[in-house]
Amino acid sequence: MKKILAIIAILLLPSLATYADEPIKSINSFESDMKKCLLKNSDPAGCLGNTMRGHFSPGNENLNSVVTQLASVLNQWLAGNKVYAMHPVKNKSLAKFYDERVYLIEDSDGNIIMLETAFVNTLGEWYLHRFNLSSKKDVMSSVLGVNL
C-alpha cells in the first residue's frame, strides 16, 4: 500500500508543479510588459492576458481562468480600435508588501477604460494578486477619487 501511495505521489508532483504560478521579476518590468502589449501588439487584449496569466499569488491561481474573460472584455471594448495610450494614474503602496496600480487605457477614438492591478509580496516574491477592468464612469470616479 505504501508503494502505491508513493507511486501516486511521484506521478502527481509534476502535474502539481505545472499549476504553481511564477513570481514576476518586478512590478515595474511587469508594467512595462503590459504597456508594450497594449501599445505595440497586433492583439493587445490577448497579449495582455498572456502577460498576466501564470503570475497570480498563491491561493489566487484560479484567476488564470478569468484572464481569458478580461482579454475578451478588452477586445470587445476596443471594437477594432487600437490602444492609443496607457496612462498610469494611481499608485498606492503598503510598505514592501502590497502595491496597487491603476491605469486609464485610451483607444484611438479617445474612449477610456480603467485597469486596476494589485500585487502582493509573498515570501519575498511579487505576484499579481487581483485585477479589474471597467469602463463605467461611476466605478472609475470612485477608484480615482475624481468626478469623470
Side-chain angles (χ1 to χ4, degrees), residues 58-89:
N60 281 347
E61 295 89 351
N62 60 336
L63 290 176
N64 283 303
S65 62
V66 182
V67 168
T68 305
Q69 294 171 16
L70 169 100
S72 176
V73 168
L74 182 58
N75 208 29
Q76 288 174 8
W77 177 80
L78 284 168
N81 288 323
K82 294 185 179 212
V83 173
Y84 174 76
M86 182 175 121
H87 307 284
V89 293

Side-chain angles (χ1 to χ4, degrees), residues 34-63:
M34 284 194 318
K35 190 171 186 174
K36 283 180 201 167
C37 275
L38 291 170
L39 296 174
K40 297 182 180 180
N41 197 286
S42 60
D43 177 19
C47 184
L48 179 63
N50 290 337
T51 300
M52 291 180 151
R53 192 174 289 110
H55 296 290
F56 288 99
S57 56
N60 281 347
E61 295 89 351
N62 60 336
L63 290 176

Side-chain angles (χ1 to χ4, degrees), residues 14-30:
S15 65
L16 289 174
T18 60
Y19 290 106
D21 281 5
E22 294 291 320
I24 60 175
K25 294 174 192 165
S26 76
I27 297 171
N28 289 336
S29 69
F30 187 84

Side-chain angles (χ1 to χ4, degrees), residues 8-20:
I8 291 171
I10 290 170
L11 291 174
L12 284 176
L13 276 176
S15 65
L16 289 174
T18 60
Y19 290 106

